[in-house]
Amino acid sequence: MNTQILLSAQTLDIQSCIDWIMSPESGGIDVFIGTVRNATKGKKVLRLDFEAYEPMAISEMNKIAAQAFERWPIQKILIHHRTGLLQVGEVPVVIAVSAAHRDAAFDACRYIIDTLKQTVPIWKKESFEDGDVWVAAHP
Amino acid sequence: MKINILAFGVAKEIFGSSEVSLEMTNDATISNLKYLLEQQYPRLKQLSSYMLAVNNEYALPGDTIHERDEIAIIPPVSGG
């Protein structure tokens, strides 16, 4: 298998992601690690709560991986995403791509995270000291 | 036909539930469903946008809905 996709309520294990994506054929791996930031527009963020429409989220992540394989000469793709409550500094998403040459790995990794944010049915609620907000829900 | 709609994120708060049921005619489309939902839950119109999914695929306005389709309302996504 050249694609590994996971939605998990457990802490993501970054080292095991890297171990899985490495291969003797690869000249480089590109890893994007999303982390929970402590503020949004100057307001202190207490935590994030992630919810997913799981079967569709898995299906959309597989589509993005298939598109990336069509566009770039890459070897493996890993997409792991969290659900549930995350504290500041925790990791909601890990994307890893391996390729023979770095340009394809960088470009595909960027494409995967950018597209994931646009199409995959996962939602996050930011908790502030004065209440909760579903990110991007309202103009 | 009776259809069930799954709700996530802010839509779950607007519906007050993670699933609602509606009665529709047999040849109903996604546009018809959006209209009905917005009549019953006017706060949907305040969202930046939202999509409907049928059987785990984003649906187009003209798509027809069938009984037992899995339908979900997809408010603006914000993963990553």
Side-chain angles (χ1 to χ4, degrees):
Chain A
M1 272 297 284
N2 57 9
T3 306
Q4 189 181 86
I5 296 204
L6 176 74
L7 268 178
S8 172
Q10 311 298 321
T11 302
L12 301 182
D13 181 345
I14 295 166
Q15 187 59 50
S16 78
C17 294
I18 293 172
D19 292 345
W20 185 83
I21 205 78
M22 296 263 254
S23 77
E25 294 78 34
S26 299
I29 62 171
D30 197 90
V31 182
F32 173 80
I33 301 169
T35 53
V36 177
R37 191 177 47 233
N38 66 1
T40 291
K41 291 176 185 155
K43 272 178 84 175
K44 184 179 173 189
V45 171
L46 303 179
R47 71 191 79 82
L48 298 182
D49 192 359
F50 285 85
E51 181 180 341
Y53 178 18
E54 296 201 4
M56 185 171 170
I58 297 281
S59 157
E60 289 294 320
M61 288 191 278
N62 273 301
K63 281 187 200 169
I64 296 170
Q67 290 157 8
F69 278 119
E70 278 180 21
R71 285 181 62 170
W72 290 282
I74 51 182
Q75 289 157 344
K76 286 189 191 175
I77 294 176
L78 174 146
I79 309 174
H80 287 191
H81 204 296
R82 278 294 308 274
T83 56
L85 277 182
L86 277 81
Q87 307 297 324
V88 169
E90 286 196 280
V91 173
V93 63
V94 178
I95 314 266
V97 180
S98 57
H101 303 285
R102 70 182 180 283
D103 280 354
F106 274 117
D107 292 350
C109 191
R110 173 92 198 216
Y111 172 80
I112 293 165
I113 183 63
D114 288 353
T115 311
L116 179 148
K117 283 174 168 281
Q118 292 166 2
T119 66
V120 177
I122 298 176
W123 299 269
K124 62 173 164 259
K125 188 165 66 175
E126 281 182 318
S127 292
F128 300 101
E129 283 165 334
D130 60 353
D132 299 342
V133 176
W134 285 103
V135 175
H138 296 98
Chain B
M1 63 180 175
K2 190 181 128 197
I3 58 157
N4 298 317
I5 301 121
L6 303 173
F8 299 92
V10 70
K12 195 161 72 179
E13 291 178 1
I14 292 172
F15 288 179
S17 170
S18 59
E19 190 167 0
V20 296
S21 295
L22 284 178
E23 191 61 41
M24 299 199 76
T25 55
N26 282 331
D27 54 354
T29 63
I30 289 293
S31 303
N32 300 147
L33 175 57
K34 275 194 157 184
Y35 180 79
L36 270 182
L37 285 171
E38 289 175 13
Q39 296 282 305
Q40 292 202 21
Y41 305 97
R43 284 171 62 204
L44 288 176
K45 290 187 273 192
Q46 294 164 9
L47 298 178
S48 306
S49 63
Y50 69 93
M51 299 283 287
L52 288 160
V54 177
N55 301 327
N56 295 312
E57 298 281 344
Y58 285 108
L60 298 171
D63 290 352
T64 307
I65 297 164
H66 305 95
E67 204 163 12
R68 287 187 289 278
D69 278 345
E70 181 172 305
I71 298 170
I73 182 161
I74 312 287
V77 301
S78 54

